[in-house]
Amino acid sequence: MALIKTIGVLTSGGDAPGMNAALRAVTRSAIFNGLRVKAIYRGFRGLLTGEIAEFKTQNVSNIIQQGGTVIKTARCKEFQTPEGRRQAYERIKKEGIDAMVVIGGDGTLTGARIFASEFNFPIVGVPCTIDNDIYGTDSTVGYDTALNTILDAVDKIRDTASSHERLFFIEVMGRDAGFLALNGAIASGAEAAIIPETTTEVDQLAEFVKSGFRKSKNSSIVLVAESEVTGGAMHYADRVKNEYPDYDVRVVILGHVQRGGSPSAYDRILASRMGNAAVEALIDGQRNIMMGIDDDQIVAVPLSRAIKNDKPLDRELLKVLRTLSI
């Protein structure tokens, strides 16, 4: 196996708090182990355009507390083609990069796996997405911070909901996963969560409105996962307006506010541990894996498993929410 002298690092896909902490960890761990580091700007696109710079320790000073990513991120359609990946590989060879750490979510890890297998190139992934939808890790970098952002917003909205005796549907991110909506609902004391993993039928909505409003409460908050399956918050607000015109309904779509902000202590620590482990894995000759966390232990997960399998939702949490929302 060829000796690794230079590691490339990139952030790709949707940004998430903690990406900078992971970048810092990869850079400093590599330098600590006597390796050179080359940062690739704007994700996989930077491999095609040659936006690559050598990073020293000072390049990652004072970034652990910053949201977003200092080396930028972008989506790259060209990288999805064999020709684009070939071009990226030629650039990697030209730059003398021997292995890569890629920081991002499902799409990023999918692209990394295809590239790694096509060119027999060593890659280790660091799962970084607010959606927490990657199999093989209890948590992804950015999820905890996004959850706290949702919590802060819902706490503020509840003040208005109570004052005006309103029903609020609050739409949160998560794509096809309900982790943010469900855990956000439990943490904020919301009355219900509408998530892709469980389809909510008309009678369930009726049950919620009946139990939430008519028994003991003058206001209610429902978190809705943004998804084609759920139809989003507007869909449910329209239904309530049609079926229960007596209720004063409002919709809040939290949107991209969930992606930003300074990462929580948990996300900083997780990103630091995973970034460090990614470099150590490459030095040990491991490849085509993602670093995950399982029972507070860093684990190596084959990229193929992380991408192929859907992450299961803990159904016990649904029971907890139902029980506590009476």
Side-chain angles (χ1 to χ4, degrees):
M1 182 174 284
L3 192 66
I4 292 174
K5 295 178 181 173
T6 303
I7 287 179
V9 58
L10 60 80
T11 53
S12 177
D15 65 305
M19 277 186 162
N20 284 324
L23 169 65
R24 173 182 179 270
V26 170
T27 302
R28 294 197 168 174
S29 297
I31 291 168
F32 178 85
N33 284 286
L35 305 176
R36 293 174 72 198
V37 180
K38 292 204 173 178
I40 300 147
Y41 282 76
R42 293 176 180 82
F44 293 117
R45 189 203 289 173
L47 287 175
L48 276 67
T49 56
E51 295 179 82
I52 298 169
E54 182 155 2
F55 262 31
K56 304 289 189 187
T57 295
Q58 57 268 33
N59 289 104
V60 293
S61 294
N62 204 28
I63 69 168
I64 194 169
Q65 76 279 16
Q66 293 179 29
T69 163
V70 296
I71 56 173
K72 313 301 179 191
T73 181
R75 307 196 191 266
C76 181
K77 284 207 167 74
E78 293 89 345
F79 192 77
Q80 294 171 16
T81 67
E83 301 78 32
R85 291 191 293 273
R86 166 61 61 183
Q87 194 182 330
Y89 182 64
E90 295 302 327
R91 177 70 64 178
I92 279 173
K93 284 202 299 188
K94 189 178 169 190
E95 291 283 342
I97 295 170
D98 306 307
M100 273 202 308
V101 176
V102 298
I103 301 165
D106 188 62
T108 300
L109 298 176
T110 300
R113 178 179 172 254
I114 294 167
F115 184 82
S117 60
E118 278 181 349
F119 299 101
N120 191 27
F121 190 78
I123 291 184
V124 172
V126 173
C128 207
T129 167
I130 66 167
D131 300 335
N132 195 34
D133 59 348
I134 295 176
Y135 180 87
T137 183
D138 290 345
S139 187
T140 57
V141 175
Y143 171 63
D144 183 68
T145 307
L147 207 48
N148 280 292
T149 299
I150 290 167
L151 196 58
D152 184 55
V154 175
D155 285 350
K156 289 179 169 70
I157 291 164
R158 190 177 281 285
D159 292 343
T160 291
S162 299
S163 299
H164 290 270
E165 301 184 319
R166 283 174 178 157
L167 164 58
F168 269 84
F169 286 100
I170 302 174
E171 185 173 294
V172 301
M173 285 181 167
R175 209 170 46 168
D176 298 319
F179 296 99
L180 283 173
L182 179 55
N183 283 299
I186 292 171
S188 64
E191 279 64 42
I194 295 171
I195 57 176
E197 290 88 345
T198 59
T199 51
T200 301
E201 304 299 335
V202 179
D203 58 339
Q204 286 176 293
L205 184 66
E207 287 279 300
F208 153 68
V209 172
K210 204 160 60 184
S211 61
F213 260 71
R214 292 178 183 169
K215 284 188 183 169
S216 58
K217 299 185 179 180
N218 57 14
S219 71
S220 283
I221 286 177
V222 179
L223 265 60
V224 184
E226 154 207 46
S227 161
E228 286 181 16
V229 179
T230 64
M234 290 301 296
H235 167 72
Y236 282 94
D238 288 342
R239 276 189 48 200
V240 171
K241 281 175 189 172
N242 291 330
E243 296 168 36
Y244 306 96
D246 295 346
Y247 297 129
D248 192 4
V249 181
R250 293 290 186 276
V251 169
V252 175
I253 297 173
L254 292 184
H256 285 78
V257 70
Q258 297 162 86
R259 282 200 188 282
S262 184
S264 65
Y266 180 84
D267 276 333
R268 296 184 199 194
I269 294 164
L270 184 61
S272 298
R273 291 177 70 188
M274 285 181 171
N276 178 59
V279 172
E280 289 182 347
L282 285 170
I283 291 169
D284 288 345
Q286 297 183 65
R287 51 169 65 199
N288 297 355
I289 58 167
M290 174 196 83
M291 307 322 300
I293 188 153
D294 180 18
D295 198 20
D296 202 35
Q297 298 298 309
I298 296 293
V299 293
V301 183
L303 278 177
S304 53
R305 277 184 61 212
I307 292 154
K308 188 175 65 179
N309 297 328
D310 287 331
K311 184 171 182 176
L313 192 89
D314 184 355
R315 299 269 160 170
E316 276 298 307
L317 294 173
L318 289 164
K319 238 170 81 179
V320 170
L321 179 60
R322 270 197 298 271
T323 303
L324 301 185
S325 65
I326 59 167

